[in-house]
Every structure is written in structure tokens, then in C-alpha cells.
Amino acid sequence: AALLSPHCNDAAVEEAADLALRQINADREEGYVLSLYRIVSAREQPQEITGSVFYLILDVVDTECHVLSKKLWKNCKPRPSHSTVYGQCKAIIYINQARNIAHLNTYECTLQPVPRGYIWSICPDCPVDDPPTEPEYLKTAVQSLAKFNAESEQTHYFSVLNITRASMQWVIGPAHFVEFLIQKTSCSKNDTVADISMCEPLPLEVAQIGFCKGSVVNSPREQFVTISCEIYSQQDPANEEENQEANQ
């Protein structure tokens, strides 16, 4: 069949882009949920019996939701412009509305952060992303997680699984910001644990995983530590809309 060139704001194209991005995000195991910035181009190939294959090029930006949250991209908060990772996804998706089928045949996404020079030109004082492998950021994650372990109502201690994003800014002193995954350990909070790093992480198949945002701000007189974490269910929800009430 001949390729059609529908308008990018056509309802069928917008639905195809939404469904394609949902399945792309569901397939990814690392990084953050991608949000649709705009539809660059769309080609449609009607099938002989029913349905159509859409060839899409989508501009995307990352959000503040980790892909393990399984949240829909429309429900995720976009990042500020100075910390956005942007990119483009090419996707081929078959859609058959009559039979309620949406099958993502293939996709390819390329992503890159905003250049540092641009960040400094629009916001000289904004935090700038750093390699998360720097030792200072692991220290920040451990310090902020200690606050979570002390204050949360979880039955077991959690340990740092890996740092997914890191940045630094000068406030009243050096401030380090981290985003990281945490993993439930075998150590119960009923026991006194001197060093949580010695706690054995539970196997990933059964361990609860969480996503945290933490910071440590140093001033000449004191230190300020913040932490906020979201613990994900061990059950992998197939559809966020069906599980929103349970998640809340």
C-alpha cells in the first residue's frame, strides 16, 4: 500500500505517538521516562485488511520519573530546561483500533544532555550535571540515605544500588545533589546496624527497589541533608491507570 502523509496534529497520529512512547518507556530498563516534545514527522501505511502501520519521528525530553516507576509519560513532570536530556526516537508501530491492537515493531532513540555552555549562558548559578561516578556523589547518596533509613517506616534497611544522576552547585557552601536507586537489604531495622554497607542486599527478584533524590549542603557552621524516596512495588504493574489507586 502507498505511504500516506497525515498531518502531525491528526488525532490518529497523536494517538500513535502516545502509544509508541508508552511502549518505548515500558521496554526501557534504565534511565528516565521520556516525554513527547513534538511529532517531527509521520507516515501511514494502511494495511490490506485493517489497521495501519505508522512510521514516526518524535522529539523527546526526559522527565523526573525513573523508568522503573512504570508511570505514564503524561503523568511525569518534565525537568527544568537547564537539566533536560533531549533526543529523538524513530518508531514503527502497527495500530488496529477495531481489534484494540497497538504493537511496537521497532524503535531507536538517541539522547544527549543540554550542553554546559548553554546552561551557563542562560543560568550561570544553576546546578551543572557531573559524572555520577565521582566519589563525592556516592558519599552524598550514602549520607542522605542514612536519613531515610533512620526516619522511614520501612522494616528493613536499604542500600545504594546505583547513582543515576548527579550535580553540584555553590549555595552557602558546596551543595551536591544526587538521584539514585536503592535496594532492600537483609538487615532488619529491629537490629542495631553499625555499617549498612555490610548488609547483604536481597536478590533483585524479590527485593523492593526505590528511587531517591538527596542532597548535602555544607555551610561553614553546619550541614543540611535532604532526602525523598519512592519505593516501588515488587509487582510490576502492566498498566499504571489500573494501579494508580493501589500505588497511592
Side-chain angles (χ1 to χ4, degrees):
L3 280 173
L4 307 178
S5 299
H7 291 293
C8 289
N9 60 357
D10 184 89
V13 172
E14 290 181 342
E15 181 185 21
D18 174 41
L19 293 171
L21 199 51
R22 289 190 192 197
Q23 294 190 33
I24 289 171
N25 283 320
D27 185 61
R28 297 172 67 235
E29 297 179 350
E30 296 180 351
Y32 295 84
V33 172
L34 301 175
S35 176
L36 180 63
Y37 182 71
R38 66 180 172 185
I39 301 171
V40 178
S41 72
R43 305 295 296 275
E44 180 182 359
Q45 187 176 37
Q47 301 302 288
E48 290 184 5
I49 301 175
T50 181
S52 291
V53 174
F54 288 88
Y55 301 83
L56 305 171
I57 299 178
L58 311 174
D59 279 347
V60 296
V61 293
D62 72 346
T63 68
E64 295 188 355
C65 300
H66 196 276
V67 292
L68 296 183
S69 71
K70 300 299 181 184
K71 291 183 178 179
L72 300 180
W73 66 268
K74 289 185 177 180
N75 296 338
C76 291
K77 185 179 178 182
R79 289 185 179 273
S81 58
H82 69 267
S83 63
T84 298
V85 171
Y86 62 95
Q88 195 170 81
C89 293
K90 297 179 180 179
I92 302 174
I93 185 170
Y94 168 70
I95 295 180
N96 186 327
Q97 289 185 333
R99 298 176 60 189
N100 197 28
I101 295 174
H103 177 70
L104 184 67
N105 294 337
T106 184
Y107 75 91
E108 181 182 11
C109 295
T110 55
L111 304 171
Q112 60 181 337
V114 174
R116 283 193 172 198
Y118 176 74
I119 297 174
W120 287 327
S121 69
I122 63 169
C123 183
D125 297 326
C126 286
V128 177
D129 282 0
D130 273 339
T133 52
E134 292 292 330
E136 190 63 39
Y137 294 113
L138 177 58
K139 180 180 176 182
T140 300
V142 169
Q143 277 187 270
S144 56
L145 182 58
K147 181 179 175 69
F148 172 80
N149 279 325
E151 298 176 355
S152 78
E153 297 180 358
Q154 298 293 323
T155 58
H156 286 67
Y157 290 102
F158 281 75
S159 62
V160 176
L161 179 57
N162 70 293
I163 300 172
T164 57
R165 198 149 184 172
S167 60
M168 186 267 181
Q169 181 184 28
W170 191 271
V171 189
I172 51 178
H176 295 88
F177 306 91
V178 288
E179 297 178 12
F180 57 101
L181 293 174
I182 59 175
Q183 182 175 351
K184 190 175 184 178
T185 72
S186 57
C187 293
S188 170
K189 292 180 73 173
N190 293 328
D191 302 326
T192 302
V193 179
D195 185 1
I196 295 174
S197 66
M198 302 302 293
C199 294
E200 190 73 23
L202 293 174
L204 283 173
E205 309 84 64
V206 297
Q208 281 184 302
I209 301 296
F211 175 67
C212 300
K213 296 178 181 180
S215 69
V216 175
V217 180
N218 291 287
S219 75
R221 295 184 178 180
E222 56 185 318
Q223 188 178 73
F224 302 91
V225 179
T226 67
I227 185 69
S228 64
C229 296
E230 181 180 8
I231 306 300
Y232 300 138
S233 170
Q234 288 172 271
Q235 180 183 5
D236 183 13
N239 187 308
E240 186 202 35
E241 292 172 327
E242 296 175 0
N243 290 275
Q244 277 183 343
E245 186 175 340
N247 288 342
Q248 287 172 357

